[in-house]
Amino acid sequence: TMPLMKEIVKSFGLYCTTVDYCALGRDDKKPTHLWTNDFKLHSTLSEYRCETKCPYFGGIHPVGARANGHQFNAAAIPEALAEEVADEVHSRFQDLRIRKTPEATMTEEEIEAFNKLMTARGGGDNGEP
């Protein structure tokens, strides 16, 4: 690891996880390094290795990044990976009790004061200026 990356890892408490795309349903192995500061996500993603979840382990993967004549988008993120990350983030939000901000509400007194202000400015009850 390069010196700058070592400093970033240390400063942000990052974990590096390697996933193999074949363990996420793709035909190509494509090992990919992912960085996270969440140990639970790191642990979950570390299970997606060719050795543990790939149907082609021990054999030949049907597609490789250097396959002659066969084209595919090697940079595309597998949908299963995106879903796994989304599930872990959602779970983390639930653990931390992070919720969508509730919709703003007004008390009866605030509504009455607003209506008086609008009437004083010449606006009617029908919302017209």
Side-chain angles (χ1 to χ4, degrees), residues 10-114:
K10 182 179 172 185
S11 295
F12 293 102
L14 298 177
Y15 303 96
C16 180
T17 301
T18 302
V19 299
D20 295 318
Y21 282 4
C22 58
L24 291 152
R26 292 235 313 230
D27 289 338
D28 59 314
K29 183 173 179 181
K30 193 172 186 288
T32 302
H33 295 298
L34 302 173
W35 294 88
T36 179
N37 64 348
D38 187 281
F39 185 76
K40 186 177 177 191
L41 178 60
H42 161 71
S43 297
T44 298
L45 293 178
S46 67
E47 296 175 13
Y48 289 95
R49 298 305 314 263
C50 182
E51 299 81 19
T52 58
K53 293 196 179 224
C54 175
Y56 308 113
F57 177 66
I60 297 173
H61 291 75
V63 177
R66 295 177 185 89
N68 292 332
H70 184 75
Q71 293 187 354
F72 69 101
N73 186 354
I77 296 171
E79 186 175 338
L81 175 58
E83 289 174 359
E84 190 66 50
V85 171
D87 286 347
E88 285 295 324
V89 170
H90 178 74
S91 173
R92 183 73 172 140
F93 279 11
Q94 293 295 335
D95 290 347
L96 296 173
R97 304 218 185 308
I98 296 174
R99 303 276 191 262
K100 178 181 170 185
T101 305
E103 189 172 318
T105 59
M106 294 176 67
T107 65
E108 290 295 325
E109 293 81 23
E110 290 170 324
I111 293 170
E112 189 175 313
F114 175 78

